[in-house]
Amino acid sequence: MNKLTNALEECQTKKEKAFIPYIMAGDGGLERLKSQLLFLENSGATAVELGIPFSDPVADGPVIQQAGIRSLENGTTLKDVLKKVMEIKSEVTIPIILMGYTNSILAYGLKEFTNDCLHAGISGCIIPDLPIEEEAIFSSIKTAGIVLIRLVTLTSSKERITEITAGAEGFIYAVTVKGITGARDAFGEELGGYLKKVKEISPVPVLAGFGISTPDHVRDAVQYCDGVIVGSKIIECLETGKEDQIGDLIQASKGVAQK
C-alpha cells in the first residue's frame, strides 16, 4: 500500500487527526533537509509536504513566496531536491508529498520525474494549478503508485466537489480561504459547513489547509475533517528558531479524536 495512504489509515485506526506540515525544499540549503524532515517526523507529523521552489507560485502567500525565493537563490532545482530525498530516504521514514506547479514537472520531463520520484520514495504529489480535466497528462504518476492529491475550494459547488472527489486518492485538500496561503486571524463562519459538506461527499480523508497558523485554528478545523496542513507558520517557525511552536500545533491536532 502507498505509504501516505497507510499513514492516514493508521490515524483513522488510532482515532487521531492527521497533521501535515509544509516546508520549502532548499530554504536554508538542501543540506538542512534531512534534519528538518527528521525533526518533523520525531515531532509527530503524519507526513510532510515538500515544496518545490518556483518563480511564479500562483497559490502561495508572502511567507512561502519568500521561502521559495531564498531556495532559488541557493540554487535549488527540482533535480537537486529529488537527488537529496533519494540520499536520505533510508533515514527518513515519514511519507513525503511533493508540492509543485505543472510547468516545473513538465520542464523536468514527466517520465524522468516519475522515475526519480519512485527512486526517492515519494508518496504523493500536489499540483495546485492542475484541474482534473487535465489530470490525464500526469497519468504516469498515478500508474506508478504515487497518489495525485486533488484540491477543492470554498467556492466549489456541491456538484464540482462530487466530481473532484470521485476517484480521489490519498486525501482531499480542502482549501479553507478564498485566496492565497498565509496566516489569518480567523476564518469565515462558512468554514465548518464547508468542511462537513466535503467530508460527507469524499470517499477519502479530508484535510484542511491554507491560513491555519495557531493551535486554536487547528482544533477548530479538525472538528469537521480528518486533519490539517500547515505551511506558512511552519516556515516562519523554522526560520526564526521557534520549533517549539511547531510541537504545539501538532499536539493541538492530537488532542481532538476522530469520530
Side-chain angles (χ1 to χ4, degrees):
M1 180 184 289
N2 178 280
K3 193 192 282 189
L4 173 63
T5 303
N6 192 46
L8 293 170
E9 286 194 3
E10 196 174 318
C11 285
Q12 300 268 351
T13 301
K14 292 181 177 175
K15 297 190 179 303
E16 288 182 356
K17 302 292 183 173
F19 187 99
I20 300 183
Y22 170 102
I23 60 174
M24 176 61 72
D27 184 16
L30 273 177
E31 63 275 9
R32 290 183 60 196
L33 185 60
K34 185 175 103 175
S35 62
Q36 289 171 337
L37 291 172
L38 286 174
F39 167 73
L40 295 168
E41 179 177 313
N42 293 329
S43 297
T46 308
V48 173
E49 186 182 338
L50 186 58
I52 301 166
F54 183 55
S55 57
D56 301 292
V58 294
D60 297 336
V63 172
I64 295 180
Q65 283 183 29
Q66 287 304 312
I69 290 169
R70 290 193 296 268
S71 179
L72 289 170
E73 287 175 347
N74 287 331
T76 308
T77 66
L78 176 52
K79 188 169 279 295
D80 294 334
V81 174
L82 286 168
K83 186 178 175 186
K84 175 56 72 175
V85 177
M86 284 180 210
E87 288 173 12
I88 63 177
K89 69 176 182 179
S90 63
E91 299 168 86
V92 178
T93 60
I94 196 167
I96 296 175
I97 306 160
L98 283 186
M99 185 281 193
Y101 292 92
T102 302
N103 279 356
S104 299
I105 298 170
L106 292 179
Y108 195 97
L110 195 52
K111 184 177 178 184
E112 189 178 5
F113 175 77
T114 303
N115 286 338
D116 287 351
C117 282
L118 275 178
H119 288 135
I122 298 298
S123 298
C125 290
I126 299 172
I127 309 173
D129 59 346
L130 177 68
I132 57 169
E133 287 78 7
E134 303 297 332
E135 208 176 84
I137 299 171
F138 294 87
S139 60
S140 65
I141 296 174
K142 297 175 72 169
T143 304
I146 299 165
V147 298
L148 200 51
I149 293 157
R150 297 173 176 174
L151 297 89
V152 300
T153 71
L154 280 163
T155 55
S156 301
S157 67
K158 186 175 180 180
E159 291 72 23
R160 183 62 174 165
I161 293 170
T162 301
E163 194 176 8
I164 291 171
T165 57
E169 300 177 323
F171 65 87
I172 286 292
Y173 194 135
V175 177
T176 50
V177 299
K178 295 172 184 169
I180 55 178
T181 65
R184 265 75 169 173
D185 292 332
F187 294 92
E189 291 181 358
E190 75 270 34
L191 180 66
Y194 159 67
L195 291 176
K196 281 199 288 187
K197 179 173 65 178
V198 179
K199 187 157 169 54
E200 282 169 6
I201 298 171
S202 175
V204 294
V206 176
L207 272 66
F210 278 44
I212 297 172
S213 60
T214 71
D216 282 344
H217 288 170
V218 173
R219 283 186 283 269
D220 286 348
V222 297
Q223 290 180 72
Y224 307 107
C225 61
D226 301 296
V228 291
I229 301 158
V230 180
S232 298
K233 185 65 180 180
I234 299 289
I235 287 172
E236 196 179 283
C237 289
L238 290 175
E239 191 189 3
T240 56
K242 296 178 180 173
E243 286 89 350
D244 57 318
Q245 293 186 14
I246 296 175
D248 294 341
L249 289 163
I250 294 175
Q251 287 311 308
S253 72
K254 306 295 180 192
V256 181
Q258 283 276 13
K259 294 177 181 175

